[in-house]
Amino acid sequence: MNNNTYEQHTQAYVSVDCIIFGFDQGKLKMLLGKRTIAPGLGTWALYGGFVEATETLSEAAKRVLTELTGLKDIYMRQVGAYSDIDRDPISRVISIAYYALINAKDYDENLRKAFNLEWVEIDALPPLFSDHGTMVQDALQILRKRITSEPLCFSLLPEKFTLTQFQNVFEAIIGKPVDKRNFRKRAKQSGVLVATGEIDKLTSKRGAMLYKQNPDIEEFRF
């Protein structure tokens, strides 16, 4: 009698796919590359990799993100699991998607070129490999639900920013404009920002006040 019950079941590969968002030139963008292997050779796709035997899911995702961006301590959250039977025509592959938020200015252009990646605007995404498009849409829905309860915007901004930059990121995530006066009032009264006392002389003609995330706030509510 065979006591190894595992042999009775079909084996499957487990992978992670990373959705990396950045904000640049007033637009929410994400990193995409073209697949260099089959299936889907030449198709636009997310960047990912298989989970190794010695890794947890989050460890695998962090490894892929660090490998791809050269950055550590990246804001990262799980989107969900994707397990359609035919999502990969070569083998049974179950993928766990993660989204990450980075300041696009921190990303090394040399790495982007080395991995043959492009920053692509969310509103102009090309058709993506397999179910990667579904992963992206699911990640966007999560971002929009969490934007008022988690400090998402700060991961896309430099350490110091103007209220206009803060509003631009917020609008880019939710996908629609907001009233400028009400937004600024809300931002100041929420307690999530701290005025630095410094003036932005690079992106603002009049010299706007620079703010930063309030490090002392215990619970983010905006």
Side-chain angles (χ1 to χ4, degrees):
M1 180 177 179
N2 186 357
N3 293 323
N4 188 351
T5 57
Y6 290 174
E7 293 181 354
Q8 301 174 24
H9 302 283
T10 302
Q11 292 185 342
Y13 294 98
V14 179
S15 68
V16 292
D17 282 299
C18 295
I19 305 159
I20 304 175
F21 292 110
F23 183 77
D24 188 39
Q25 299 178 337
K27 299 289 185 179
L28 184 64
K29 300 180 179 181
M30 58 178 294
L31 282 172
L32 290 178
K34 290 187 176 182
R35 286 176 63 87
T36 58
I37 59 173
L41 180 65
T43 305
W44 287 100
L46 301 173
Y47 191 87
F50 287 105
V51 180
E52 301 297 340
T54 57
E55 292 178 314
T56 64
L57 289 172
S58 62
E59 286 171 346
K62 288 176 182 178
R63 169 178 55 80
V64 170
L65 285 171
T66 300
E67 187 178 282
L68 186 64
T69 67
L71 304 173
K72 295 183 178 180
D73 299 322
I74 297 174
Y75 183 100
M76 180 189 81
R77 295 290 186 274
Q78 189 180 117
V79 178
Y82 298 81
S83 60
D84 283 356
I85 305 300
D86 59 351
R87 62 178 306 278
D88 189 310
I90 289 182
S91 187
R92 182 81 168 99
V93 180
I94 297 170
S95 182
I96 315 300
Y98 286 82
Y99 74 84
L101 308 175
I102 68 172
N103 179 4
K105 302 298 183 184
D106 291 340
Y107 185 46
D108 189 340
E109 275 291 290
N110 292 324
L111 274 177
R112 184 187 67 77
K113 293 175 181 178
F115 283 97
N116 293 315
L117 299 175
E118 298 290 341
W119 282 112
V120 181
E121 292 181 17
I122 290 298
D123 295 334
L125 291 180
L128 302 182
F129 172 72
S130 185
D131 51 9
H132 289 192
T134 301
M135 294 178 182
V136 172
Q137 292 307 313
D138 290 348
L140 283 171
Q141 286 187 12
I142 292 172
L143 279 179
R144 289 162 182 165
K145 287 180 180 178
R146 294 179 176 173
I147 193 170
T148 57
S149 60
E150 294 187 27
L152 305 177
C153 292
F154 302 125
S155 296
L156 298 166
L157 287 165
E159 182 183 0
K160 300 174 184 178
F161 49 85
T162 65
L163 285 178
T164 297
Q165 290 173 315
F166 184 53
Q167 180 176 339
N168 289 343
V169 170
F170 187 91
E171 290 177 333
I173 291 176
I174 66 173
K176 59 183 179 182
V178 297
D179 181 78
K180 181 177 180 179
R181 181 178 298 179
N182 289 337
F183 183 86
R184 288 175 175 243
K185 181 179 178 181
R186 179 179 168 191
K188 291 177 180 178
Q189 292 180 345
S190 66
V192 301
L193 304 180
V194 175
T196 65
E198 300 176 36
I199 301 299
D200 174 30
K201 297 180 180 180
L202 295 177
T203 63
S204 173
K205 293 181 180 180
R206 295 183 179 181
M209 174 67 71
L210 285 169
Y211 291 81
K212 64 179 182 179
Q213 180 181 3
N214 185 353
D216 299 323
I217 194 167
E218 294 182 359
E219 186 177 10
F220 185 89
R221 285 290 181 268
F222 180 72

